[in-house]
Amino acid sequence: GAGVSQSPRYKVAKRGQDVALRCDPISGHVSLFWYQQALGQGPEFLTYFQNEAQLDKSGLPSDRFFAERPEGSVSTLKIQRTQQEDSAVYLCASSLALGREWYNEQFFGPGTRLTVL
Amino acid sequence: DAKTTQPNSMESNEEEPVHLPCNHSTISGTDYIHWYRQLPSQGPEYVIHGLTSNVNNRMASLAIAEDRKSSTLILHRATLRDAAVYYCILMNYGGSQGNLIFGKGTKLSVKP
């Protein structure tokens, strides 16, 4: 079956441009996460959705970052007025859910590599 | 979630076992130990997880110390495809929404 897909795989933007990154999670997965991975570092949490509800956006680095998942499936991460420090790989992950006593693994997409010139 | 400590890098020879250590001295009684790995140019992938008992699956084994302050991921026969960054992550299910807190991980190199 299809895994998590992300598009585009690569994006080059000029400083100040707006970008939109798309994530198609595995069908039926309730939880969706966005992570940012700088070069040589581990991924860092950005935001979390449970179905269409954005329950945690504490990791978004500034108000230029905005994420949505309007129908509880596809999600879009938008970055307005991109800056050079936004250059990173943006990873999307989905999972069935997280229960109090069980764990459903997160399935990651291949990521979108954003380069801001 | 409690912090983990891993070596920055390790080397292994192909077809030999690999033991990847992780220290988590501040682990709480309800923290589960998870391992993910990230192959070059790919997103992370789940490897294994456990609470107290040792765990085995088709990818690896997880050995957990009796005091739970450390654990070891064991790859029984390393292949070139196992070259990746391995992350040891703690998670308390009851107090978490599920987002993973990655450190820098251990970069495993496998020599032919």
Side-chain angles (χ1 to χ4, degrees):
Chain A
V4 177
S5 61
Q6 293 187 245
S7 61
R9 291 293 315 277
Y10 303 91
K11 177 70 179 177
V12 178
K14 291 183 180 177
R15 192 167 50 144
Q17 263 186 324
D18 297 349
V19 298
L21 312 180
R22 177 186 169 109
C23 172
D24 284 80
I26 293 173
S27 177
H29 277 195
V30 168
S31 299
L32 186 144
F33 304 86
W34 283 97
Y35 295 86
Q36 180 190 58
Q37 186 170 25
L39 193 64
Q41 305 294 316
E44 291 192 359
F45 169 74
L46 292 177
T47 187
Y48 163 65
F49 288 86
Q50 188 176 89
N51 295 308
E52 70 278 2
Q54 188 176 20
L55 299 186
D56 187 346
K57 50 183 180 180
S58 62
L60 297 177
S62 78
D63 58 8
R64 295 185 295 104
F65 287 71
F66 172 76
E68 60 183 6
R69 193 186 184 198
E71 296 177 0
S73 55
V74 171
S75 177
T76 304
L77 177 67
K78 297 179 180 177
I79 309 173
Q80 297 177 324
R81 304 181 304 282
T82 52
Q83 304 295 314
Q84 283 189 319
E85 61 262 29
D86 300 336
S87 295
V89 174
Y90 291 85
L91 294 160
C92 173
S94 71
S95 71
L96 281 170
L98 179 71
R100 287 196 166 275
E101 294 179 353
W102 70 87
Y103 179 73
N104 287 299
E105 65 185 273
Q106 288 188 29
F107 294 85
F108 283 79
T112 295
R113 180 177 296 277
L114 173 65
T115 303
V116 181
L117 303 177
Chain B
D1 295 299
K3 187 177 176 177
T4 63
T5 305
Q6 299 177 254
N8 288 334
S9 62
M10 290 184 65
E11 271 192 1
S12 171
N13 294 317
E14 197 176 11
E15 298 190 5
E16 290 186 356
V18 182
H19 291 232
L20 296 163
C22 180
N23 287 320
H24 29 79
S25 58
T26 59
I27 191 170
S28 76
T30 52
D31 282 337
Y32 283 75
I33 302 158
H34 298 79
W35 285 81
Y36 275 73
R37 72 179 186 180
Q38 187 171 21
L39 302 170
S41 300
Q42 295 189 25
E45 64 176 351
Y46 168 82
V47 178
I48 201 166
H49 79 281
L51 182 63
T52 56
S53 304
N54 294 345
V55 184
N56 300 294
N57 67 20
R58 63 175 179 80
M59 286 182 72
S61 296
L62 176 59
I64 301 173
E66 200 168 326
D67 63 5
R68 301 210 326 125
K69 293 184 185 298
S70 66
S71 60
T72 303
L73 180 71
I74 303 166
L75 307 180
H76 295 286
R77 285 183 71 222
T79 68
L80 296 179
R81 197 191 170 278
D82 291 321
V85 178
Y86 287 78
Y87 298 98
C88 171
I89 301 166
L90 302 183
M91 189 187 301
N92 181 325
Y93 297 171
S96 172
Q97 64 202 7
N99 52 287
L100 299 166
I101 300 175
F102 292 84
K104 288 194 173 182
T106 297
K107 184 173 183 178
L108 175 66
S109 302
V110 180
K111 295 184 290 185

